[in-house]
Amino acid sequence: MPPPLPVPTVLQGLPPAPSPLAVTVVEVPPPAQPPHFPKLDIRGDFGSEVRERVANFRAQQQRFLREREEYCTTTMAKVRAAIRDNSELPRSGK
């Protein structure tokens, strides 16, 4: 048989629990003056930075393309040389 459950303890002096449907309305006064931020003119700097980034990206892509083509050319030259060298070897007859 399991042990008996403990008897709940009632604490004195606690406020009653609010109703689950109770709504508390808190009024928040609007700010006196919204913060003022000076307008920044970034058209010139921003545009030149974007153009510079685009140019750098294109240059990097061109470099990647050249490196891939060089790698492919070198690898294919090695494969062709290996095939040529292997075809010149005498084959054993059946």
Side-chain angles (χ1 to χ4, degrees):
M1 175 171 218
L5 295 174
V7 177
T9 305
V10 178
L11 299 176
Q12 299 296 327
L14 293 178
S19 167
L21 300 177
V23 176
T24 304
V25 177
V26 177
E27 289 188 32
V28 178
Q33 180 73 18
H36 176 68
F37 299 105
K39 294 231 179 215
L40 299 176
D41 184 16
I42 57 172
R43 286 176 288 180
D45 277 351
F46 186 71
S48 63
E49 182 179 345
V50 168
R51 284 189 292 278
E52 181 181 340
R53 287 177 182 241
V54 168
N56 289 339
F57 178 79
R58 286 183 179 156
Q60 183 181 31
Q61 294 301 310
Q62 290 296 323
R63 182 175 55 92
F64 288 157
L65 182 63
R66 280 193 310 273
E67 289 175 358
R68 279 195 303 269
E69 288 175 355
E70 290 172 7
Y71 177 78
C72 181
T73 302
T74 304
T75 303
M76 291 307 295
K78 289 178 184 176
V79 168
R80 289 183 187 108
I83 291 172
R84 186 178 52 247
D85 293 344
N86 197 18
S87 66
E88 294 174 359
L89 295 176
R91 299 193 181 252
S92 59
K94 289 185 180 179

